[in-house]
Amino acid sequence: MPELPEVETVRRGLLPVMEGKVIAAADVRRPDLRWPFPDGMAARLTGQRVERLRRRSKYILADLSSGESLLIHLGMSGRMLISGAPLGQFHHDHPAPEKHDHVVLDMEDGTRVTFNDARRFGAMDLMQTADAEAHWLLASLGPEPLGNTFNEDYLIDRLRDRNTPIKTALLDQRIIAGLGNIYVCEVLHRAGLSPKRKAGRIAAPRVAGLVPIIRDVLAEAIEAGGSSLRDYRQADGELGYFQHTFRVYDREGQPCQTPACHGVVGRIVQSGRSSFYCPACQR
DNA sequence: ATGTGTTCCTGTCCGC
DNA sequence: TGCGGACAGGAACACA
């Protein structure tokens, strides 16, 4: 999926077309994605103004005038596509939805927002805005890595005594919410830490050092509009460009970027996922 | 309570 | 070209 920077980029792209705007019509074209859509989703979206469009971890939340919030998760391949009001000015003049266009939102001004998700690991749900934090998908999420509650003391505490590799620990959304496979690989490379190191066996100062690295990598990626791999694009169709600055992710066999390091990027599989790293400078 | 492997689904790419 | 297998940004779930 889109990881935190990609989701934030999608949110920012949707902001001008959704926030403060009314959903004139909702077309729910299949009963489910990863899970069934909530009962009456189309009717519960129709006529609602989007009061606020916010993000929690890799989830987008649209707070509606009804007091409900729409939760959007993009899974691995989800995209939110924006198309402008057609010349005919009526939403039925938009081109017909394509394969994998599962939910179509027509805004009152004629702009169309389409949730497209080939692999269907994505999700949508509705809940009371007041109860959003308690939603089962959000309840056990750890702190936002760019927020204040994520800090050195917190991370040292959470990694203490963990027997799992640091790679796996940083992917655990209960410890820190928003990192995915790309950014964990990049963070560990910048930190000079092997993905195989047991989380609980890393000295506290090194764990502390991860905190600003995580913040920097995510902030840089957001600044770059996320990473465009395969099918991911920003909501407006633009490509992000952070992928050009990957130091290890998807660079197996290529030279390590660390100054004076003559290592070669390798790939191992950890809990079923590829870890890219330099065996020479990540220890 | 932790840690690991499997699973959902479609599309793409690579080697034969 | 066709076909099979590996792999893909996530994360819930079942099981040791």
Side-chain angles (χ1 to χ4, degrees), chain A residues 38-258:
Chain A
D39 291 339
M41 183 166 80
R44 288 157 75 181
L45 295 174
T46 302
Q48 300 306 316
R49 179 184 308 278
V50 177
E51 305 288 3
R52 204 155 108 82
L53 197 66
R54 53 199 174 96
R55 181 187 58 73
R56 170 72 171 110
S57 182
K58 304 175 192 175
Y59 298 85
I60 292 173
L61 287 161
D63 297 338
L64 308 175
S65 43
S66 59
E68 291 197 297
S69 292
L70 172 67
L71 172 146
I72 303 168
H73 186 66
L74 300 175
M76 287 280 256
S77 56
R79 295 186 288 172
M80 298 295 283
L81 305 169
I82 296 170
S83 41
L87 292 178
Q89 296 166 8
F90 300 103
H91 27 262
H92 58 257
D93 287 339
H94 281 280
E98 295 182 19
K99 198 176 181 185
H100 308 310
D101 285 350
H102 306 309
V103 176
V104 179
L105 303 178
D106 280 312
M107 308 308 290
E108 210 165 44
D109 62 6
T111 307
R112 171 170 282 191
V113 177
T114 301
F115 185 8
N116 175 289
D117 183 10
R119 294 179 71 182
R120 304 207 302 273
F121 293 162
M124 279 192 174
D125 200 6
L126 283 163
M127 73 210 80
Q128 288 294 310
T129 302
D131 303 332
E133 282 179 36
H135 188 276
W136 65 282
L137 286 168
L138 307 182
S140 56
L141 290 175
E144 286 289 320
L146 297 175
N148 293 330
T149 59
F150 177 68
N151 57 44
E152 284 79 355
D153 289 341
Y154 169 83
L155 194 60
I156 290 166
D157 186 56
R158 290 303 303 267
L159 297 186
R160 181 178 298 140
D161 300 331
R162 300 297 311 254
N163 207 31
T164 199
I166 184 65
K167 166 75 188 310
T168 308
L170 293 181
L171 277 177
D172 186 339
Q173 304 296 298
R174 295 168 302 186
I175 296 176
I176 172 172
L179 292 178
N181 206 32
I182 292 176
Y183 297 105
V184 169
C185 290
E186 294 298 308
V187 162
L188 291 176
H189 182 260
R190 291 194 190 193
L193 269 171
S194 167
K196 294 190 280 196
R197 277 290 286 279
K198 303 282 187 193
R201 296 247 195 86
I202 303 170
R206 296 193 78 192
V207 173
L210 281 168
V211 171
I213 293 172
I214 289 168
R215 290 214 185 94
D216 285 352
V217 168
L218 294 177
E220 288 171 26
I222 291 170
E223 187 70 22
S227 303
S228 291
L229 295 180
R230 303 172 190 88
D231 51 9
Y232 168 77
R233 281 166 179 265
Q234 298 179 31
D236 58 6
E238 289 294 302
L239 296 170
Y241 53 89
F242 191 76
Q243 66 279 10
H244 300 304
T245 70
F246 289 168
R247 300 186 192 177
V248 285
Y249 183 80
D250 212 13
R251 294 178 60 88
E252 184 180 11
Q254 295 183 238
C256 177
Q257 311 269 300
T258 301

